[in-house]
Short mmCIF file of all heavy atoms in Angstrom, two decimals:
data_model
loop_
_atom_site.label_atom_id
_atom_site.label_comp_id
_atom_site.label_asym_id
_atom_site.label_seq_id
_atom_site.Cartn_x
_atom_site.Cartn_y
_atom_site.Cartn_z
N GLY M 1069 88.80 95.61 205.82
CA GLY M 1069 89.89 96.50 205.50
C GLY M 1069 89.34 97.78 204.91
O GLY M 1069 88.36 97.76 204.17
N LEU M 1070 89.98 98.91 205.26
CA LEU M 1070 89.54 100.19 204.71
C LEU M 1070 90.76 100.84 204.07
O LEU M 1070 91.70 101.21 204.76
CB LEU M 1070 88.99 101.07 205.84
CG LEU M 1070 88.19 102.30 205.45
CD1 LEU M 1070 87.01 101.94 204.59
CD2 LEU M 1070 87.70 103.01 206.70
N VAL M 1071 90.75 100.92 202.73
CA VAL M 1071 91.93 101.47 202.06
C VAL M 1071 91.59 102.75 201.32
O VAL M 1071 90.42 103.03 201.02
CB VAL M 1071 92.55 100.46 201.07
CG1 VAL M 1071 93.13 99.28 201.80
CG2 VAL M 1071 91.55 100.04 200.03
N GLY M 1072 92.62 103.50 201.02
CA GLY M 1072 92.44 104.76 200.30
C GLY M 1072 93.69 105.59 200.47
O GLY M 1072 94.52 105.30 201.33
N GLU M 1073 93.81 106.64 199.63
CA GLU M 1073 94.98 107.50 199.75
C GLU M 1073 94.89 108.32 201.03
O GLU M 1073 93.81 108.44 201.62
CB GLU M 1073 95.04 108.46 198.55
CG GLU M 1073 95.44 107.79 197.27
CD GLU M 1073 95.13 108.66 196.07
OE1 GLU M 1073 93.93 108.83 195.76
OE2 GLU M 1073 96.06 109.18 195.48
N SER M 1074 96.01 108.92 201.43
CA SER M 1074 95.94 109.76 202.63
C SER M 1074 95.05 110.96 202.35
O SER M 1074 95.04 111.50 201.25
CB SER M 1074 97.35 110.23 203.04
OG SER M 1074 98.06 110.64 201.91
N GLY M 1075 94.25 111.33 203.36
CA GLY M 1075 93.33 112.45 203.19
C GLY M 1075 91.96 112.06 202.67
O GLY M 1075 91.13 112.93 202.42
N CYS M 1076 91.72 110.76 202.48
CA CYS M 1076 90.41 110.37 201.92
C CYS M 1076 89.37 110.19 202.99
O CYS M 1076 88.21 109.95 202.71
CB CYS M 1076 90.54 109.11 201.08
SG CYS M 1076 90.78 107.64 202.08
N GLY M 1077 89.76 110.31 204.29
CA GLY M 1077 88.78 110.23 205.35
C GLY M 1077 88.74 108.90 206.09
O GLY M 1077 87.85 108.68 206.91
N LYS M 1078 89.72 108.03 205.83
CA LYS M 1078 89.74 106.72 206.51
C LYS M 1078 89.78 106.88 208.02
O LYS M 1078 88.97 106.30 208.76
CB LYS M 1078 91.02 105.94 206.12
CG LYS M 1078 91.12 105.53 204.70
CD LYS M 1078 92.52 104.99 204.45
CE LYS M 1078 93.53 106.07 204.68
NZ LYS M 1078 94.87 105.81 204.21
N THR M 1079 90.76 107.68 208.48
CA THR M 1079 90.95 107.86 209.92
C THR M 1079 89.72 108.51 210.55
O THR M 1079 89.30 108.13 211.64
CB THR M 1079 92.20 108.72 210.17
OG1 THR M 1079 93.32 108.01 209.67
CG2 THR M 1079 92.39 108.99 211.63
N THR M 1080 89.13 109.47 209.83
CA THR M 1080 87.94 110.13 210.36
C THR M 1080 86.80 109.13 210.53
O THR M 1080 86.05 109.20 211.50
CB THR M 1080 87.52 111.27 209.43
OG1 THR M 1080 88.66 112.03 209.10
CG2 THR M 1080 86.50 112.15 210.09
N VAL M 1081 86.67 108.18 209.61
CA VAL M 1081 85.64 107.14 209.76
C VAL M 1081 85.87 106.39 211.06
O VAL M 1081 84.98 106.25 211.90
CB VAL M 1081 85.66 106.17 208.56
CG1 VAL M 1081 84.80 104.95 208.85
CG2 VAL M 1081 85.20 106.85 207.31
N GLY M 1082 87.13 105.93 211.27
CA GLY M 1082 87.44 105.16 212.46
C GLY M 1082 87.14 105.93 213.73
O GLY M 1082 86.51 105.42 214.65
N ARG M 1083 87.56 107.19 213.75
CA ARG M 1083 87.39 107.96 214.99
C ARG M 1083 85.95 108.37 215.22
O ARG M 1083 85.50 108.45 216.35
CB ARG M 1083 88.28 109.19 214.96
CG ARG M 1083 89.73 108.77 214.88
CD ARG M 1083 90.67 109.72 215.48
NE ARG M 1083 92.00 109.09 215.44
CZ ARG M 1083 93.12 109.66 215.84
NH1 ARG M 1083 93.07 110.87 216.32
NH2 ARG M 1083 94.26 109.02 215.79
N SER M 1084 85.23 108.67 214.13
CA SER M 1084 83.87 109.16 214.39
C SER M 1084 82.93 108.00 214.70
O SER M 1084 81.93 108.20 215.37
CB SER M 1084 83.36 110.03 213.24
OG SER M 1084 83.46 109.36 212.04
N LEU M 1085 83.25 106.79 214.27
CA LEU M 1085 82.33 105.72 214.68
C LEU M 1085 82.55 105.32 216.13
O LEU M 1085 81.66 104.78 216.78
CB LEU M 1085 82.35 104.54 213.71
CG LEU M 1085 83.51 103.55 213.59
CD1 LEU M 1085 83.36 102.46 214.61
CD2 LEU M 1085 83.49 102.94 212.20
N LEU M 1086 83.73 105.64 216.68
CA LEU M 1086 83.95 105.46 218.12
C LEU M 1086 83.51 106.70 218.89
O LEU M 1086 83.63 106.76 220.10
CB LEU M 1086 85.43 105.22 218.41
CG LEU M 1086 86.03 103.92 217.92
CD1 LEU M 1086 87.52 103.89 218.22
CD2 LEU M 1086 85.34 102.75 218.57
N ARG M 1087 83.08 107.71 218.14
CA ARG M 1087 82.71 109.01 218.70
C ARG M 1087 83.85 109.68 219.44
O ARG M 1087 83.65 110.39 220.42
CB ARG M 1087 81.47 108.91 219.57
CG ARG M 1087 80.22 108.70 218.72
CD ARG M 1087 78.96 108.78 219.47
NE ARG M 1087 78.72 110.08 220.09
CZ ARG M 1087 77.77 110.28 220.97
NH1 ARG M 1087 76.98 109.30 221.34
NH2 ARG M 1087 77.59 111.47 221.49
N LEU M 1088 85.08 109.44 218.98
CA LEU M 1088 86.20 110.23 219.47
C LEU M 1088 86.13 111.61 218.86
O LEU M 1088 86.61 112.59 219.41
CB LEU M 1088 87.53 109.56 219.13
CG LEU M 1088 87.79 108.26 219.86
CD1 LEU M 1088 89.11 107.65 219.46
CD2 LEU M 1088 87.75 108.46 221.37
N ILE M 1089 85.58 111.68 217.63
CA ILE M 1089 85.10 112.96 217.11
C ILE M 1089 83.62 112.77 216.81
O ILE M 1089 83.20 111.68 216.43
CB ILE M 1089 85.87 113.44 215.86
CG1 ILE M 1089 86.14 112.30 214.92
CG2 ILE M 1089 87.15 114.11 216.22
CD1 ILE M 1089 87.02 112.68 213.74
N GLU M 1090 82.83 113.81 217.02
CA GLU M 1090 81.39 113.68 216.86
C GLU M 1090 81.01 113.63 215.38
O GLU M 1090 81.33 114.55 214.63
CB GLU M 1090 80.68 114.87 217.51
CG GLU M 1090 80.56 114.80 219.00
CD GLU M 1090 79.97 113.50 219.50
OE1 GLU M 1090 78.89 113.09 219.02
OE2 GLU M 1090 80.60 112.87 220.38
N PRO M 1091 80.34 112.56 214.94
CA PRO M 1091 79.88 112.55 213.55
C PRO M 1091 78.81 113.61 213.31
O PRO M 1091 78.05 113.94 214.21
CB PRO M 1091 79.32 111.13 213.37
CG PRO M 1091 79.12 110.60 214.74
CD PRO M 1091 80.02 111.34 215.66
#
Side-chain angles (χ1 to χ4, degrees):
Chain M
L1070 194 57
V1071 293
E1073 287 164 289
S1074 44
C1076 73
K1078 294 171 297 193
T1079 297
T1080 313
V1081 168
R1083 298 209 174 177
S1084 54
L1085 72 86
L1086 293 177
R1087 287 188 63 191
L1088 292 179
I1089 41 186
E1090 282 308 308

